[in-house]
Amino acid sequence: MSFPTTQKTHGAHPHDVFSLVTPADIRRIRDGAQENFVKIIDKVFDRLLVLKGARDLTKNQANTKQLLNCVRVLTRLLPFVFESGPDGSNLEEIVLWTPRPRPGSGADYVLGKQLVSAVVDLLFTSGFTVPAATVGEDAIVRYTIWENGIGQTSSLGSSKEHVSNRVEVLRLLLVLCSKAMYSPPAGSSSLPNRALNTIAYNSNKRMVLCLLCSLINTSLKDRAQGWSIPYRNSAAIDPHDELMLHAMHALFILLEYQVPATKPENKSTADEPDSTPDTDADTNTPSMLLVTETKVGAHNLFRAFIAKLHRTQEFDYLINNILRLLDGTMRANLSILASVTKQPTRTVMPQEATVLLWMLLENNSPFRDYIVDHNSSLKLFSMLLYFMLYGYGDPAQAGLVRTISNILHYLSEDSRFATRLMQPFDQSMLPSTMRIIDASLTHADFMINTVFTLLSSSKPYLLPVYSSLLLLVRNVSPYLTQTSQPTADKLVSLFDIISSPAFIISEPYHIRWLIYLIEVFDYVIHYRAVDNPRLIYRMIKARSCFKRLKAFNLESAKNELAALRDKKSKTESTRTIGKSSTSLKSSYSVSNDDTAGTPPGTPAPKQDADIVSLTPGRGGVDNIERTGSPALSDKARGKRPQLGSQTTTHDLAESRDSGDSNSTSHDLPIKRATGKKSAGAKAPTNQFQPSEEWVFSWLPDLPLDPIISVLDALSEHINKIAETVERDASAAAAAATETADGEHSETTASDSKNLDSHQQQQLDATAPKAGNADDMLSPYTGSVDPTQAIIHWLSSDAMIEALPDLEESMPEIRPRLQGMSSALIVWFRSLLWSMVYASGMKPLGIWKNTRVRLFVVKNSQ
């Protein structure tokens, strides 16, 4: 039986086609008989065109099944077209974009353009993917919006068959545009995607609007009924959920694509999409797609129309449904039925919802203004932080965490949004494991605590996120008010770590992190000192860190880093002595398992406490060393917060003498720089080698002088306040003791004759309590704690008068903007196509055993 005959007579279900035609069969025909492979595709497509144009398509069930099978066969074959041939040939160019005679007619045609046009038409074919035409309307292709929402006030009332057919056609559309998956990351930005180019740049505006609105409305459609309990009693995938997922992915790739800049822009070309040629042909035409080439300076039409959204009801629809998707997943995670409510498609919706939010923010400035001023902006902010905390321990959620970090960074560029973060934060929406024991938290407090948790987790896959997180804190810092004590402790502890000499020189990008943190303290000192007394007090107590940075010496830093590496190598040698090969293999699997560590939902405060206790001037290092004993099993160690796989806490405690503060965040970059090399080994050639010129390029520009001068000035006043408080407390305690002794002696003299021995013991036990001054003393120092008096003074006008003149050093409040670098663009494209890949693998395995090059596919088995 020939291949085309097989696809006509068999395959009542998509799985049948994928099981009948194996990857080995396809590659054997493609590589051994390329002409036959091309003929198969041509004949299947020719049959698809004939069936698509039939007037009685919906009346003949056999024709409908044949059309679906044509779609399925093309979905099966096209991924192998994008693979490079065994000789390195570009098969895609031969099959899709080389003119050749059309079977039956002999006229030349380009299969790629015709296939793109046909697939888009199938999404709007009357009776197949949209309801049949009304009486008096003779149209095969009806360009209309599928669901109510943007651009449509009522739904079409699609049937289950329409939904199922849309799913299959959208699969084919995604496959047809999937060339990016088979290109290396370095070349993904420079290689054009001709299928996407045809849809996004050379299309009729009516088709673009209908397809864009259909994809948006389908992606955000709320199908919840009744009590909206996220529970399903079947493992089967709902076609509506599958359609929603594919629609959102198609929307992403259409919005993301940009033509590679191979020619300079023609300034005479109009910027508006209206300048694109438009053929307002009637709806009976075979396709609404144009076949003209992309003009220089043209714009992605989907992006252009997204940018034109401006109505309040449109923005309400978008933000309310994005919040609904996020809230539904939160409730499912926190529900007692969480183990049975994690559905195959719903569990990935937070990633899709955040990507959609980011793309809307990037392409529509009024939408960002709307979110900033919206009443639900703080709710959205809290949800995004929740998903960062929930997913940071899972490598599979690294894309979600990075997407959220970019969203928050982008929003922090607006001063109105940063100001709103100073409002009180309600922790009732969070699980108990994520809550912070402080009733006075603001949204900014919770944000900074979240940033500290992620930074201190030392997850290698989160390394690209750290800059965005620190920039988020930096952009919000000019507006910080009433910083809580836990937040102040974490900020200063983080600075102590990042400003340590060994950390600075271990990687070249660490200096950027240091600059961002310095700018945080610089803004607080100049603009918000009186509004943040706890943070100022914490900075005063840690002012030696600023002075250490001011006196930075490269040679001392190198010696410190070398000593740390030597200790790490000795620790490794000690651990390997006396171990069997089995234990070595087990140790190796734990130390190299980046996925081990804190699972989602692990209490962040516990991890934070461990990290803070490793900073200079704090106790508890010995306690951590004992709890982190090697006697623990590999499984137990894998579930503990990672404190570094190479540096022991004993080494960290010893290195404190040199002013080093080696937390987990400190250990990660050093581990990346040293790998498994011993300290005595020769440094690798690619290891960062700092120089005096490099130090001179950043050290003189750090705004340390005004910060140090303010802290020194305030320190003198604080010492006086502490002395005054202690002197007053001592005088009060002495007076109280003298009064108590007098009362005690008078009582004893008058009543001694009437007291028995038992009553005398009771009096002796209670008499000293009358003058007990220990309640005024600090339990950990044995002296009076002047903290409250100091905090009160730091928040008063007297503190402002004590500040030195800062007029000349006043920094301009200017946010650091988010730039879409080439690396970020490639990462984002990889993220989008990895989502498409994952969704296509679940029901059918569309891309299984194909040679994907844009990202690395790891088997979870």
Side-chain angles (χ1 to χ4, degrees):
M1 182 181 295
S2 64
F3 191 92
T5 305
T6 302
Q7 60 88 15
K8 293 178 187 177
T9 57
H10 293 278
H13 193 275
H15 291 280
D16 297 335
V17 174
F18 281 79
S19 60
L20 287 172
V21 186
T22 65
D25 296 334
I26 299 174
R27 285 199 178 94
R28 184 171 58 252
I29 300 174
R30 183 197 66 184
D31 299 338
Q34 190 176 103
E35 291 184 2
N36 293 339
F37 182 71
V38 175
K39 286 180 180 180
I40 290 174
I41 295 178
D42 284 341
K43 286 188 174 295
V44 173
F45 174 66
D46 188 61
R47 182 61 182 169
L48 182 145
L49 285 181
V50 172
L51 295 170
K52 181 180 77 71
R55 296 286 179 178
D56 61 343
L57 174 64
T58 58
K59 299 178 182 179
N60 190 328
Q61 290 297 322
N63 286 345
T64 302
K65 289 183 179 180
Q66 283 192 30
L67 179 58
L68 285 173
N69 283 335
C70 289
V71 171
R72 294 162 184 168
V73 170
L74 290 173
T75 303
R76 183 56 167 158
L77 296 180
L78 286 178
F80 297 89
V81 171
F82 295 112
E83 290 184 346
S84 298
D87 56 351
S89 60
N90 188 353
L91 188 61
E92 179 211 1
E93 187 68 25
I94 299 173
V95 176
L96 297 180
W97 307 109
T98 300
R100 59 179 176 273
R102 180 175 176 178
S105 66
D108 286 350
Y109 84 119
V110 178
L111 176 62
K113 289 183 179 180
Q114 298 293 326
L115 184 55
V116 169
S117 301
V119 171
V120 173
D121 285 347
L122 283 175
L123 291 172
F124 300 96
T125 298
S126 178
F128 183 67
T129 50
V130 296
T134 58
V135 177
E137 184 180 1
D138 185 21
I140 297 176
V141 178
R142 296 180 61 206
Y143 284 96
T144 183
I145 301 174
W146 298 340
E147 302 288 350
N148 61 302
I150 295 179
Q152 182 84 351
T153 57
S154 60
S155 178
L156 291 179
S158 303
S159 66
K160 182 179 179 180
E161 289 73 20
H162 295 151
V163 171
S164 178
N165 293 343
R166 287 175 197 166
V167 170
E168 301 216 35
V169 178
L170 277 176
R171 280 201 201 110
L172 178 56
L173 178 64
L174 291 170
V175 168
L176 185 58
C177 299
S178 64
K179 176 186 176 180
M181 284 202 298
Y182 300 92
S183 303
S188 63
S189 298
S190 59
L191 296 176
N193 189 321
R194 300 182 69 171
L196 281 174
N197 183 76
T198 303
I199 301 175
Y201 285 82
N202 298 303
S203 300
N204 180 275
K205 289 189 298 182
R206 181 178 178 184
M207 186 281 295
V208 170
L209 285 173
C210 290
L211 181 57
L212 176 64
C213 295
S214 295
L215 295 177
I216 293 176
N217 297 345
T218 302
S219 302
L220 298 178
K221 181 177 177 59
D222 184 7
R223 297 180 54 252
Q225 298 178 356
W227 289 354
S228 302
I229 298 177
Y231 172 77
R232 174 179 292 162
N233 59 2
S234 173
I237 299 178
D238 189 337
H240 289 87
D241 288 346
E242 199 171 0
L243 175 63
M244 178 175 63
L245 201 59
H246 289 322
M248 196 170 284
H249 292 165
L251 175 65
F252 292 162
I253 65 172
L254 290 171
L255 288 175
E256 186 271 339
Y257 180 70
Q258 285 185 320
V259 172
T262 56
K263 299 179 181 179
E265 286 193 2
N266 186 354
K267 298 300 182 181
S268 63
T269 303
D271 291 336
E272 293 297 326
D274 298 347
S275 63
T276 304
D278 183 12
T279 56
D280 287 328
D282 59 291
T283 54
N284 291 319
T285 55
S287 176
M288 300 293 287
L289 288 166
L290 301 179
V291 294
T292 57
E293 294 296 332
T294 303
K295 297 198 302 182
V296 176
H299 290 261
N300 182 321
L301 296 177
F302 290 88
R303 283 192 176 193
F305 285 120
I306 280 288
K308 287 187 174 182
L309 295 177
H310 64 279
R311 296 190 181 97
T312 302
Q313 57 267 33
E314 294 172 340
F315 290 159
D316 278 337
Y317 177 82
L318 292 172
I319 189 61
N320 289 337
N321 281 283
I322 290 175
L323 286 171
R324 176 182 55 80
L325 291 174
L326 296 175
D327 183 66
T329 306
M330 280 189 63
R331 289 190 297 109
N333 291 340
L334 300 176
S335 170
I336 59 174
L337 300 175
S339 60
V340 295
T341 58
K342 292 188 176 181
Q343 304 169 8
T345 56
R346 290 291 183 180
T347 53
V348 299
M349 288 313 295
Q351 177 69 82
E352 275 77 8
T354 52
V355 169
L356 177 60
L357 177 60
W358 189 16
M359 299 189 83
L360 291 172
L361 290 170
E362 285 285 342
N363 293 285
N364 192 302
S365 298
F367 182 68
R368 185 180 79 163
D369 296 335
Y370 173 82
I371 285 185
V372 168
D373 296 329
H374 196 271
N375 293 331
S376 300
S377 61
L378 293 180
K379 180 180 179 181
L380 173 65
F381 178 80
S382 303
M383 286 183 176
L384 294 177
L385 291 180
Y386 162 81
F387 282 105
M388 289 186 78
L389 285 174
Y390 184 82
Y392 81 94
D394 183 5
Q397 300 295 325
L400 173 64
V401 174
R402 188 170 182 181
T403 303
I404 294 175
S405 69
N406 283 283
I407 292 173
L408 297 180
H409 179 199
Y410 187 69
L411 291 175
S412 70
E413 297 171 6
D414 194 307
S415 60
R416 296 169 298 171
F417 183 79
T419 303
R420 297 195 70 174
L421 297 184
M422 304 308 125
Q423 297 183 23
F425 178 72
D426 183 11
Q427 300 190 68
S428 60
M429 66 177 294
L430 300 175
S432 58
T433 56
M434 292 184 183
R435 296 179 186 178
I436 302 172
I437 306 177
D438 194 318
S440 61
L441 284 182
T442 64
H443 286 77
D445 283 321
F446 186 67
M447 175 200 72
I448 294 174
N449 280 269
T450 301
V451 169
F452 183 87
T453 299
L454 268 67
L455 286 168
S456 62
S457 67
S458 188
K459 307 293 185 183
Y461 50 83
L462 294 182
L463 190 62
V465 180
Y466 293 165
S467 291
S468 294
L469 295 178
L470 290 172
L471 282 173
L472 170 63
V473 178
R474 184 261 178 212
N475 287 345
V476 173
S477 60
Y479 314 97
L480 282 176
T481 57
Q482 301 305 319
T483 307
S484 67
Q485 192 60 53
T487 304
D489 291 339
K490 288 179 173 60
L491 264 180
V492 175
S493 298
L494 191 60
F495 174 73
D496 190 9
I497 296 167
I498 294 180
S499 65
S500 62
F503 185 89
I504 292 175
I505 66 171
S506 59
E507 292 288 354
Y509 50 82
H510 289 171
I511 188 59
R512 294 201 305 269
W513 302 354
L514 177 62
I515 291 174
Y516 300 155
L517 270 182
I518 286 288
E519 290 179 355
V520 170
F521 297 121
D522 193 35
Y523 277 129
V524 171
I525 285 291
H526 285 88
Y527 292 99
R528 297 290 177 177
V530 71
D531 297 324
N532 296 278
R534 295 176 182 84
L535 178 56
I536 295 296
Y537 185 35
R538 188 68 180 85
M539 291 171 61
I540 292 172
K541 292 196 290 184
R543 64 186 184 278
S544 59
C545 298
F546 297 92
K547 295 180 179 180
R548 177 189 62 187
L549 180 59
K550 179 69 176 176
F552 179 85
N553 181 270
L554 181 58
E555 290 303 321
S556 300
K558 288 181 178 179
N559 293 336
E560 182 180 331
L561 183 59
L564 180 60
R565 287 171 175 167
D566 183 61
K567 293 170 186 175
K568 294 166 79 172
S569 66
K570 291 180 180 179
T571 303
E572 286 183 1
S573 301
T574 304
R575 288 177 178 175
T576 57
I577 294 176
K579 291 188 176 181
S580 64
S581 59
T582 303
S583 63
L584 283 174
K585 181 181 296 186
S586 176
S587 176
Y588 178 84
S589 63
V590 173
S591 63
N592 287 276
D593 185 9
D594 292 337
T595 64
T598 308
T602 298
K606 181 179 185 297
Q607 189 177 42
D608 294 345
D610 292 343
I611 298 302
V612 171
S613 65
L614 298 179
T615 58
R618 288 184 174 267
V621 176
D622 295 335
N623 293 334
I624 297 176
E625 183 180 356
R626 286 192 293 272
T627 58
S629 171
L632 288 174
S633 66
D634 292 338
K635 182 177 180 181
R637 285 199 300 269
K639 294 185 177 181
R640 291 175 55 81
Q642 292 182 345
L643 297 177
S645 60
Q646 296 184 352
T647 304
T648 64
T649 50
H650 179 67
D651 297 336
L652 297 176
E654 289 181 351
S655 64
R656 290 193 307 163
D657 297 337
S658 61
D660 190 13
S661 177
N662 301 287
S663 73
T664 307
S665 295
H666 189 172
D667 186 43
L668 170 62
I670 297 176
K671 180 170 63 177
R672 287 169 57 87
T674 59
K676 296 291 181 179
K677 303 288 186 181
S678 64
K682 187 176 181 180
T685 56
N686 60 348
Q687 182 176 303
F688 176 56
Q689 299 294 334
S691 62
E692 293 290 349
E693 291 76 12
W694 174 77
V695 174
F696 185 76
S697 67
W698 55 264
L699 184 58
D701 296 329
L702 295 181
L704 292 172
D705 290 334
I707 296 177
I708 293 174
S709 63
V710 168
L711 298 182
D712 285 342
L714 295 179
S715 177
E716 298 178 2
H717 292 274
I718 285 177
N719 291 336
K720 294 179 181 178
I721 294 174
E723 293 174 0
T724 302
V725 171
E726 186 171 358
R727 183 173 58 252
D728 294 345
S730 299
T737 302
E738 182 178 352
T739 302
D741 290 343
E743 294 177 354
H744 175 64
S745 58
E746 293 176 1
T747 303
T748 303
S750 60
D751 299 336
S752 57
K753 296 180 180 181
N754 301 324
L755 294 176
D756 57 17
S757 60
H758 179 68
Q759 291 173 325
Q760 184 65 42
Q761 292 177 359
Q762 289 182 331
L763 182 61
D764 292 340
T766 56
K769 296 181 181 180
N772 190 2
D774 290 342
D775 294 337
M776 303 175 60
L777 303 181
S778 174
Y780 52 88
T781 62
S783 60
V784 178
D785 185 7
T787 299
Q788 294 302 320
I790 293 173
I791 295 298
H792 177 74
W793 182 83
L794 288 174
S795 60
S796 65
D797 294 337
M799 189 273 284
I800 300 178
E801 297 175 357
L803 291 175
D805 185 14
L806 299 175
E807 189 67 26
E808 295 183 358
S809 62
M810 190 74 67
E812 178 184 359
I813 298 180
R814 183 173 55 186
R816 285 187 178 265
L817 305 181
Q818 183 183 68
M820 291 296 290
S821 63
S822 58
L824 183 58
I825 293 174
V826 170
W827 167 81
F828 187 55
R829 180 169 297 174
S830 302
L831 174 67
L832 296 184
W833 281 108
S834 66
M835 292 158 53
V836 175
Y837 180 92
S839 65
M841 291 295 291
K842 289 178 181 177
L844 300 176
I846 296 175
W847 290 280
K848 186 176 182 180
N849 294 327
T850 61
R851 301 185 182 99
V852 175
R853 302 175 65 190
L854 183 62
F855 45 83
V856 178
V857 179
K858 293 184 178 180
N859 191 350
S860 60
Q861 296 295 331

